[in-house]
Amino acid sequence: MKKFFIAPSILSANFAKLGEDIKSVLIAGGDLIHFDVMDNHYVPNLTLGPMVLKSLRDDNIIAPIDVHLMARPVDDLILKFAESGASFITFHPETSDHIDKTLNLIRKCGCKVGIGLNPSTPLNILDYIMDKLDLILLMGVNPGFSGQKFIPSMLNKLHHIREKIDSLFPNILLSVDGGVNGNNISDLVIAGVDIFVIGSFIFSSRNYLKVITNIRQNINKTYNNIINL
Ligand code: DX5
Ligand code: ZN
């Protein structure tokens, strides 16, 4: 059975009780925590810094954390988030002057390496960097806010990325972030997604266990249908 990962995006969590909320969502079945960093320049919102990540680690949160950097310049932040306990660090190519160098920096810091693609970022950006990646994250929305609607053409883009991954570097994980919910999860499984980043759809529910269990059942059902075709 293929492993799928549900990654609650804490942008939609209760910031007044962040540690508690993260622990609840992990107990309910979240596999990894998605930690959105926004700088109010690259994207029009301002969120969390490395000190918050460090506090969560000090509070015994040991689950893998994907730090999704939507900030520039990005290299100094990578050092700080790696020191603070990031497991994956994902950045957007537009935030780095020297993408190859930034990828090497993440690896050197001991973190898994992710690249984030906006809805309009051309896929040829991947051409000479795939050998350095552990993760490709495709935005289903323009980055900045949770609760936006999934852009339908991103489904096709996911299929294209999946083809590239399968033919060149099959170990790379494909992640989708933004607008993921119970209505589109099956299509996303069919498109070949491994990691489902989900913010508002999980955190707006009063019952994290129920919503995550439903999502996982949907994912597994769709996957079983595909392999039995
Ligand atoms: C958007 C962030 C996402 C966001 C997803 O820029 O990168 O991680 O929190 O939230 P939903 O699932 O509500 O679209
Ligand atoms: Zn994100």
Side-chain angles (χ1 to χ4, degrees):
M1 178 73 186
K2 184 177 156 173
K3 172 83 185 142
F4 293 101
F5 301 87
I6 296 174
S9 164
I10 58 171
L11 189 57
S12 300
N14 179 351
F15 280 9
K17 296 182 178 171
L18 190 56
E20 260 175 66
D21 220 11
I22 291 177
K23 284 175 188 166
S24 306
V25 90
L26 288 169
I27 290 169
D31 298 297
L32 63 116
I33 293 299
H34 183 86
F35 188 104
D36 283 308
V37 178
M38 301 180 178
D39 67 348
N40 199 37
H41 293 280
Y42 177 60
V43 291
N45 200 354
L46 186 63
T47 60
L48 307 158
M51 284 164 66
V52 178
L53 177 61
K54 169 109 183 25
S55 311
L56 295 171
R57 287 307 194 198
D58 289 345
D59 197 30
N60 294 322
I61 290 172
I62 55 167
I65 297 183
D66 179 20
V67 173
H68 178 194
L69 294 176
M70 290 158 278
R72 70 176 156 216
V74 78
D75 288 5
D76 279 352
L77 285 174
I78 287 169
L79 296 171
K80 292 188 178 112
F81 277 102
E83 269 169 25
S84 303
S87 317
F88 287 81
I89 296 186
T90 299
F91 71 100
H92 288 250
E94 300 84 357
T95 63
S96 168
D97 289 331
H98 303 284
I99 296 167
D100 182 75
K101 223 164 131 185
T102 302
L103 295 168
N104 293 340
L105 178 65
I106 299 175
R107 182 75 66 205
K108 206 171 130 209
C109 290
C111 296
K112 301 258 189 209
V113 183
I115 195 95
L117 306 179
N118 287 335
S120 62
T121 306
L123 289 187
N124 62 11
I125 191 87
L126 296 172
D127 278 355
Y128 298 97
I129 61 169
M130 280 182 79
D131 59 322
K132 300 200 166 164
L133 298 178
D134 298 300
L135 171 78
I136 299 173
L137 175 146
L138 179 67
M139 296 302 303
V141 301
N142 289 298
F145 299 96
S146 57
Q148 301 181 74
K149 211 171 154 311
F150 186 83
I151 298 170
S153 58
M154 291 307 101
L155 214 48
N156 211 7
K157 195 167 179 180
L158 282 166
H159 277 281
H160 288 311
I161 302 173
R162 182 80 254 169
E163 279 166 19
K164 269 183 188 283
I165 290 175
D166 285 348
S167 62
L168 296 167
F169 295 95
N171 290 331
I172 296 176
L173 293 166
L174 178 56
S175 176
V176 64
D177 179 14
V180 179
N181 59 44
N183 294 327
N184 56 21
I185 201 98
S186 293
D187 289 338
L188 297 170
V189 174
I190 295 167
V193 169
D194 303 295
I195 302 178
F196 303 85
V197 177
I198 309 177
S200 46
F201 187 64
I202 290 178
F203 285 100
S204 66
S205 157
R206 290 229 191 110
N207 190 335
Y208 298 161
L209 179 65
K210 195 170 164 200
V211 70
I212 292 177
T213 307
N214 275 339
I215 294 166
R216 205 177 292 284
Q217 278 169 354
N218 260 330
I219 293 172
N220 291 340
K221 197 170 145 201
T222 309
Y223 182 69
N224 286 330
N225 284 342
I226 298 172
I227 57 173
N228 291 326
L229 272 181

